[in-house]
Amino acid sequence: MAKYLDENKIEWKRNTKRFYFTWENKKTYYIPDFYLPKRKAYLETKGYWYNDSKERTLEAVKVNNLKWILLMQKEEWLIDKNILLEKIGHFV
C-alpha cells in the first residue's frame, strides 16, 4: 500500500496514534494503518474482515469521531486499484 501511495504521489505517514473505545465492557484501542496529512484522513487496509473486526473498527471510528476514515478491502483492491484513488479524491 505504501508503494502504491508513493507511486501516486499521495503523502502519507505510518500512523501510530491510538484511538480508545470500549468493546464488550473492555477498554481497547484502534490504530489505523496510515495517515494522509494533506487530506486529514486515515486509511485502513484489510485483507479480510475476521469475526467482529469490522464492527470493532466502525465502533472505534464512531466513538472517536473519525469522519475521514477510508477502508480498503482486498476485494476492492483486486477489482480495481483506482477505487482507492477515487475514495481518497473525496478528501482533497
Side-chain angles (χ1 to χ4, degrees), residues 20-69:
Y20 291 90
F21 67 105
T22 301
W23 187 258
E24 295 183 352
N25 298 318
K26 294 180 185 174
K27 189 169 182 175
T28 187
Y29 59 88
Y30 164 65
I31 304 174
D33 295 321
F34 298 93
Y35 180 64
L36 310 178
K38 287 187 178 178
R39 291 155 176 91
K40 297 180 182 170
Y42 290 93
L43 172 61
E44 176 67 35
T45 57
K46 292 284 187 197
Y48 300 97
W49 293 110
Y50 294 101
N51 300 322
D52 63 356
S53 61
K54 186 172 188 176
E55 291 79 13
R56 288 171 52 111
T57 300
L58 294 175
E59 179 67 11
V61 169
K62 179 181 163 188
V63 167
N64 289 280
N65 199 27
L66 300 178
K67 296 180 182 177
W68 299 293
I69 192 150

Side-chain angles (χ1 to χ4, degrees), residues 69-85:
I69 192 150
L70 307 170
L71 301 173
M72 187 69 189
Q73 297 178 52
K74 185 177 181 181
E75 294 83 17
E76 292 176 323
W77 186 255
L78 293 176
I79 292 168
D80 183 359
K81 293 178 182 173
N82 290 322
I83 290 173
L84 178 59
L85 294 178

